[in-house]
Amino acid sequence: MVTLVLPRLVDVSAASRRSASVTERNVAALRSVYWLLLVSGFVEPLLYLLSIGVGVGALIGDLTLPSGAVVTYAAFVAPAMLASSAMTGALAETTFNFFGKMKYMKLYDGVIATPVQPFEIALGELAWAMLRGSAYSAAFLVVMVVMDLTAPARALAAFPAAVLVGFAFGALGMAIATFMRSWQDFDLMSSMQFVLFLFSGTFVPAEAYPAVLRWLVEVTPLYRAVHLIRALTVDTGGWSWTLDVLYLLAVLAAGLLIASRRMGRLLYK
Amino acid sequence: MTTGRPLIQARGLVKRFGDFTAVDGIDVEVSAGEAFGFLGPNGAGKSSTMRMVGCTSPPSGGELHILGMDPVRDGPAIRARLGVCPQLDNLDPELTVRENLTTYARYFGIPRRVARARAAELLDFVQLGDRADSKVEPLSGGMKRRLTIARALVNEPDIVLLDEPTTGLDPQARHLVWERLFRLKQQGVTLVLTTHYMDEAEQLCDRLVVMDGGRIVAEGSPRALIEQHATREVVELRFAAESQETFAGKLDALGERVEVLPDRVLVYVSDGDAAVAEVAALGLRPTNVLVRRSSLEDVFLHLTGRTLVD
């Protein structure tokens, strides 16, 4: 029994140690210029919240959620901004930066000559993306509490959810990045990202769309993320958010699997 | 050194990329403490072989054992004991010189304190101590190469794989690299290198194989290869404007082999001075005469041809 289980355990601890070394590399590479970039990731959703949530919200008034809860428009928009900033932060790191490291810096060509394997690189990069994404989420939740858009206890519950959202999108982005041929392909991805940002029940409840469109919107990952975070921060209705959690976990697993498989194919030439 | 089982053992090793066969069934054995060379023109399959030995490229056929293990199944365990200096430097441009070593050490799970100490030691070894805090970008080609070699040593490997370690370096930098590699060899580190520099192979390798078109065309020590595939000496003759062929015909009897090049005639002989005397006795007046010992380069060109391969 011991001989069967022990190698596995050693394997897992060695793998996580190796993943951590990839994350550590990114911490070492962090430079002052980069900090400015990090700040922009936090400011962007805040500007949307102020301009549209609060600004446009003043013209719209209150909204009634499917559960019957009545909330201000700002409180409706805020969780969506949190979800999409978790998405944006994770994607920025796992698509652009990851692609650059793999294709142009040839960073991983050096890494695979060590005991570190593609799956561990993917995991390490994802963990790094999440360090960044989680920082955004935490800061944004603080803003939401300060602006009285959610309760402190709800904000605490929403934090791990936002981290999960980041993980799922990070893994998805990494999988997509392995299919990218050049920087031009990223324009397409940015457009897709913007479409998701506009129509995932972010500014308008999905219930407002015609049935077919609504169905389409509800299967997109950002919609599930918005739905999850909104349920935790403002809504009271039901347990349907557990479905979101399962959905995001599935995206995370699939993304990681595809990304590490593809990396293996691209790197072990 | 007699440690029984060879560190690297390949039998009928094949690497295919689609329809193209880069390595076409080679047999190689490298023992502990040996300096082993793969010699060959571009496209001979040297780098593909090195990548398979480095466990970053799965073989398409044949058998390969590194340190007694299977490179596909035991990749991480094998790579933990290898040091790899690839043909193109893939240093981390976002890190400093020192961080390139410490970060790389962490990939091997080396504790931070040990990594720092080893980085300092290795930077001294490759004479980059004063550039420790510089970024990688402004370094010269030779410095980057030395840093890549230092990086390959950070895990105190049993085998160091060097793919064209001195290609593109100026003479000073080359000699510095050679000297460092020689020291490693003296410390008992097993070196496996590819090169198309004959002097490099003669200086560093105990044993080597000559590859061409994915196959091994000759194998042995540099000395043995020269004895086997070349004569002891070579006489290089240059003639004035007249066609060299007309002379070459007369020279045939002089040596074991005569090679006519556009600018000179090479006569492969055992005694160069005697041959020169005979040339004079034949009444030929070359404008330039050079008698030299034959080198690995003669072997190489004889075996792989003079046609340019890219």
Side-chain angles (χ1 to χ4, degrees):
Chain A
M1 188 64 195
V2 172
T3 48
L4 271 175
V5 175
L6 206 58
R8 282 253 155 232
L9 289 179
V10 172
D11 235 4
V12 169
S13 84
S16 46
R17 197 256 306 142
R18 294 195 287 252
S19 302
S21 71
V22 175
T23 310
E24 218 178 298
R25 178 261 162 210
N26 290 311
V27 176
L30 198 65
R31 292 281 182 270
S32 51
V33 186
Y34 201 68
W35 282 105
L36 216 63
L37 204 78
L38 290 184
V39 171
S40 75
F42 167 70
V43 171
E44 203 180 282
L46 190 63
L47 293 181
Y48 275 111
L49 176 64
L50 294 177
S51 64
I52 296 177
V54 178
V56 179
L59 307 173
I60 293 174
D62 292 348
L63 255 147
T64 309
L65 297 176
S67 65
V70 178
V71 296
T72 63
Y73 186 67
F76 174 79
V77 167
M81 293 306 104
L82 174 57
S84 51
S85 90
M87 170 183 81
T88 314
L91 281 181
E93 195 66 51
T94 61
T95 56
F96 283 101
N97 294 355
F98 177 73
F99 180 77
K101 284 177 193 168
M102 180 150 83
K103 190 134 186 175
Y104 291 98
M105 275 194 225
K106 302 274 179 207
L107 201 65
Y108 306 136
D109 287 348
V111 179
I112 57 159
T114 73
V116 181
Q117 301 174 85
F119 179 74
E120 294 151 1
I121 297 177
L123 214 58
E125 289 291 358
L126 191 55
W128 165 246
M130 284 332 299
L131 279 178
R132 177 175 165 180
S134 304
Y136 293 162
S137 300
F140 197 81
L141 279 165
V142 169
V143 171
M144 281 175 70
V145 171
V146 169
M147 287 175 69
D148 201 21
L149 299 173
T150 190
R154 279 171 171 272
L156 279 179
F159 179 69
V163 173
L164 172 63
V165 170
F167 262 109
F169 276 101
L172 186 65
M174 202 176 278
I176 292 170
T178 61
F179 289 96
M180 296 287 184
R181 291 153 302 178
S182 67
W183 293 113
Q184 275 75 29
D185 289 344
F186 283 94
D187 289 341
L188 193 67
M189 199 196 73
S190 301
S191 311
M192 285 299 298
Q193 209 177 318
F194 195 61
V195 171
L196 283 183
F197 173 68
L198 290 178
F199 297 104
S200 297
T202 31
F203 301 107
V204 179
E207 291 77 27
Y209 299 127
V212 178
L213 215 58
R214 181 182 159 185
W215 183 83
L216 192 70
V217 164
E218 288 189 356
V219 294
T220 63
L222 184 58
Y223 174 82
R224 307 292 358 159
V226 170
H227 186 261
L228 168 63
I229 297 200
R230 191 171 283 146
L232 294 175
T233 50
V234 291
D235 210 348
T236 47
W239 291 92
S240 62
W241 58 269
T242 49
L243 183 72
D244 304 327
V245 171
L246 291 176
Y247 178 103
L248 292 170
L249 283 173
V251 169
L252 167 61
L256 263 181
L257 198 70
I258 294 170
S260 51
R261 282 260 173 96
R262 290 272 311 160
M263 281 176 75
R265 284 250 293 277
L266 294 173
L267 294 171
Y268 290 146
K269 282 176 286 222
Chain B
M1 232 178 266
T2 48
T3 43
R5 199 158 183 194
L7 294 190
I8 300 171
Q9 197 169 23
R11 197 156 298 154
L13 188 61
V14 174
K15 182 71 194 184
R16 273 185 228 102
F17 297 100
D19 291 337
F20 174 68
T21 305
V23 179
D24 194 4
I26 61 167
D27 299 337
V28 173
E29 280 192 3
V30 180
S31 310
E34 216 178 358
F36 187 88
F38 286 97
L39 200 63
N42 291 335
K46 306 185 300 283
S47 293
S48 299
T49 305
M50 287 296 257
R51 289 176 52 85
M52 285 192 279
V53 173
C55 306
T56 55
S57 170
S60 316
E63 270 176 54
L64 181 62
H65 290 280
I66 318 287
L67 299 159
M69 291 181 275
D70 173 10
V72 175
R73 210 189 51 224
D74 310 313
I78 299 173
R79 291 193 297 265
R81 293 167 59 189
L82 298 181
V84 178
C85 175
Q87 192 170 350
L88 299 172
D89 296 318
N90 51 23
L91 296 162
D92 193 327
E94 294 185 335
L95 302 179
T96 65
V97 168
R98 188 203 319 273
E99 284 166 346
N100 257 282
L101 298 185
T102 50
T103 303
Y104 212 69
R106 297 293 292 153
Y107 295 146
F108 287 92
I110 295 164
R112 279 189 200 86
R113 220 161 47 87
V114 180
R116 271 197 300 274
R118 218 171 271 177
E121 215 173 276
L122 285 169
L123 286 177
D124 282 341
F125 179 67
V126 296
Q127 296 186 10
L128 283 172
D130 54 336
R131 301 302 294 267
D133 297 312
S134 158
K135 276 288 184 77
V136 168
E137 182 110 41
L139 298 187
S140 72
M143 288 174 171
K144 283 184 187 162
R145 210 68 197 135
R146 268 141 58 200
L147 182 56
T148 307
I149 291 172
R151 194 184 68 173
L153 300 174
V154 85
N155 58 327
E156 300 188 323
D158 295 332
I159 308 174
V160 181
L161 306 174
L162 303 133
D163 198 353
E164 299 190 9
T166 64
T167 297
L169 300 191
D170 61 31
Q172 284 83 358
R174 277 176 75 190
H175 281 275
L176 181 61
V177 168
W178 284 349
E179 194 234 317
R180 298 296 123 150
L181 292 179
F182 190 72
R183 272 210 224 171
L184 284 177
K185 194 180 143 185
Q186 283 180 317
Q187 289 165 20
V189 177
T190 306
L191 299 179
V192 178
L193 57 102
T194 74
T195 183
H196 41 228
Y197 292 128
M198 304 314 118
D199 45 353
E200 186 159 290
E202 282 188 87
Q203 287 233 13
L204 292 174
C205 298
D206 301 319
R207 210 156 56 81
L208 51 91
V209 291
V210 181
M211 284 186 81
D212 196 23
R215 295 173 173 279
I216 291 175
V217 292
E219 180 172 1
S221 70
R223 209 56 250 160
L225 282 173
I226 292 168
E227 276 161 21
Q228 207 178 327
H229 298 280
T231 50
R232 208 170 69 85
E233 293 188 324
V234 181
V235 181
E236 298 198 7
L237 303 168
R238 279 174 207 271
F239 291 96
E242 297 97 323
S243 157
Q244 313 230 36
E245 269 90 9
T246 54
F247 294 110
K250 298 180 185 171
L251 296 169
D252 270 347
L254 269 165
E256 282 181 29
R257 195 155 55 84
V258 175
E259 192 174 7
V260 183
L261 303 180
D263 61 334
R264 68 213 141 104
V265 179
L266 304 187
V267 187
Y268 296 86
V269 295
S270 52
D271 185 344
D273 290 330
V276 172
E278 283 182 58
V279 169
L282 284 170
L284 300 175
R285 295 280 172 272
T287 56
N288 203 332
V289 179
L290 172 72
V291 178
R292 59 169 175 83
R293 287 181 66 197
S294 63
S295 70
L296 212 44
E297 186 150 1
D298 299 304
V299 175
F300 183 75
L301 291 174
H302 178 53
L303 289 170
T304 65
R306 281 188 191 269
T307 329
L308 195 61
V309 255
D310 277 312

